[in-house]
Amino acid sequence: MKRFAQLLELLALTPSRTRKLAALKQYFREVPDPDRGFALAVLTGALTFRNVKPALLKDIVLREVDPTLFAMSYDYVGDLGETIALIWPHHGQEGELPSLTDLIELFNTTSKSDLPRLIASLLTRAGINERWAVVKLATGALRIGVSARLAKTALSEMSGVDVQEIEEVWHGLKVPYLDLFAWLDGKAPRPDIDQSSRFHPLMLSNPIDEEKDLSKLDPRDFSAEWKWDGIRVQLVLGGGTVSLFSRTGDDIANSFPDIVENVHGRAVLDGELLVGKDFEARSFNDLQQRLNKKVASAKHLKDSPAFIRVYDMLFDGREDIRTLSWTERRQRLEQWFAANPQTRMDVSEILPFNDWEDLAQQRRQGADEHGHEGVMLKLRSSPYVPGRPKGYWFKWKRDPNVVDAVLMYAQRGHGKRSSFYSDYTFGVWKGNEIVPIGKAYFGFTDEELKQLDKWIRANTLQAFGPVREVRKELVFEVAFDSAQESTRHKSGVALRFPRISRIRWDKPASEAATLEDMAVFIGAT
Amino acid sequence: MPQPILDRDLHIRAIDAFIDPPVPRERAIITHGHADHARSGHGAVLATPDTIAIMKVRYGEDCAGRFQALPFGEPLQIDDVTITFFPAGHVLGSAQVLIEQGGQRVVVTGDYKRLADRTAQPYELVPCDLLVTEATFGLPVFQHPHPQIEIGRLLKSIADQPERCHMVGCYALGKAQRVIGLLRDAGWDQPIYLHGAMIRLCELYQELGVDLGELIPATGMPKAAMAGQIVIAPPSAIRDRWSRRFPDPVVSQASGWMSVKQRARQALVELPLVISDHCDWGELQRTIHDTGAKTVWVTHGREDALVYWCRTQGLEAEPLNIQGFEDDGGEGTEE
């Protein structure tokens, strides 16, 4: 465990990517199986424990520490795991902790009732750094600036195997990755993964820059579709088995039994999960209700049935068609649908257009009349490439709505921003008072964040724990994708995807928007 | 308790003097030389001889109308008020102020620590009725490790990466000299290199009898000669262009704030050293008990938590929100 704790600390504190990679390579080279495999699982977020959760850790600490002092400390530190590691009041004789493998085994096999005692004893025996590592491991939130991609890059550099090849087998592998390391060490062939029955990393799009990109692109080379406002999913149909993955590869089948039980065939499909009856997509808000539930309720299944609007195909039956062009894949997709009629899936329609001006016109109309988020452009000749390759797929979002709102409250951020007031609640006028319409925590530069932080400290009216109420004097231009009626906010309005587009240091609060101004946005969606 | 002889803005009514006032005052009692306690422009300053020497080096000979030096342990009688300084163990010359009047004993700690430090006069416990304590590290997450453990980590890092230069960010008054002293105690007998901002105060410490060994200005040294060496610089300089003249520097910082890894990351500190010149949570609690004070006023730091804790102990406690002191963040505060 000591070695792993050292690795975590070094990764957390070394800003240099090169040095992080060097540390990872050295660790994977020197540490034996299965410890290194478990470490890889921790770093890539592939490990979860059934009974060891942040809430359990917090309970254990609150048996030893006054809850008020804990809350004040957490507010100051801004990271639950780190707060627990720092505040633990007992320091026994520093003993040898179990190895990473044994520790994970203990977390998995210890009964729920014995876990508090086990964890308390580990925390007491550990030195400060190991305590931090144990807590990080147990809470699962590492926050050390290492992505799964960086870990895989280290494996690639260590072995000389291309990182794309590692990605290809990744989702079929099991912790602690013995076959992967054997392959990378040159001691075994590439792991044999059934390619048609697992998650495949998705192909993503780049935002289009209207001024720079469009003039260079030939409209005849591209196909256009609506950009659907749901969640991106991958449906893996194994002819009898069904898996439904989110864009990050999480299995979300449990939340959508209405889809899983009603799809047929053998293929790997890429599409958008939406809710609505008769393939009439409803707002993201309605979908959100279902996403929040681990298990779908009968009411949801009846009132908000889910369906998938499919726009691409990765495997046709067992055949990997990702190297074919978009045009060929689209043809295969349509043929497959003809042969496998579906009740919970349809195919995303193609939007015919003559030139960019024509498409821009359709895009505006779609936004105004149907609330469409924008259009997707896909190069007809493009293969299906995981990641975000340049030049193949573009998203052309509609222009955002903007409103001038007044800053009301600021809250300290977490993690990297824990010393800054970086989360902002803003509102608009309702008669003589300002009522909140939303909250945003990005859309500004680090330099602006510093200025805002300073302004907030100088203009605080009252502090409630981590929240400060400020003078209602600073105006933000807030951009958002859509507005909806809401019972949660006092204003009765909720914004979708709000972000600060400009800080209007120049604008007096009296000129900010009113609640009446918001009505037009609600009408539009 | 009866009406305190000290007001909540640290004003001693009977003699019209303020302790560590944030704005210029006719009569000021200064606990130590850090900028959030010692400011220039007061009429008359009462302080220890070391603190007066430090103020003159930092702000100039004429930074106050006049100075009166009061050595540790010597009571000064002004009308019916007696003022006595006791060592606070924070930096060289740092003092706690004991105020006595009509049988009432009030102690203002200034900044203090209880751990031995050979660059500051050792802390002395002063029993009192009302204790005005700082709370820079007044949260239970602050449990400072022994400083020699931290120095050991620095020396190990140097041994592991002899090709790199280690730059330790330290505040110029107190922390720099303490870290140098700790390095000497740990057996580091090579020259230690200084950023220009460190030089005058290190010289002053040596003139006042604190042995720091051989110190050399870092500016102007050939790059190659600095591999494996230690440079002491202000925290702002180690991440600035100034540091580019050194070979692949390891950015380190010595401060009590460094226990929070997320803060260290935020400050781009690769090797955080948890070395503090303030009490940690346990020492604050112990001191409050040891003084026997029945009333505690808390200032300079995380007042809320310490006030809350005092009340759970049945003590009267309240925060002092002294104007001009930023309650939050702390990284900018000297310590």
Side-chain angles (χ1 to χ4, degrees), chain B residues 274-296:
Chain B
V274 187
I275 299 178
S276 171
D277 287 329
H278 294 266
C279 289
D280 67 4
W281 177 248
E283 286 177 312
L284 288 170
Q285 291 177 320
R286 184 156 64 89
T287 305
I288 289 167
H289 270 311
D290 290 353
T291 58
K294 293 280 171 286
T295 307
V296 181

Side-chain angles (χ1 to χ4, degrees), chain B residues 1-19:
Chain B
M1 69 181 282
Q3 167 87 341
I5 53 180
L6 181 72
D7 294 334
R8 280 164 180 72
D9 54 357
L10 306 189
H11 176 231
I12 309 169
R13 269 187 318 279
I15 58 173
D16 192 23
F18 288 85
I19 299 175

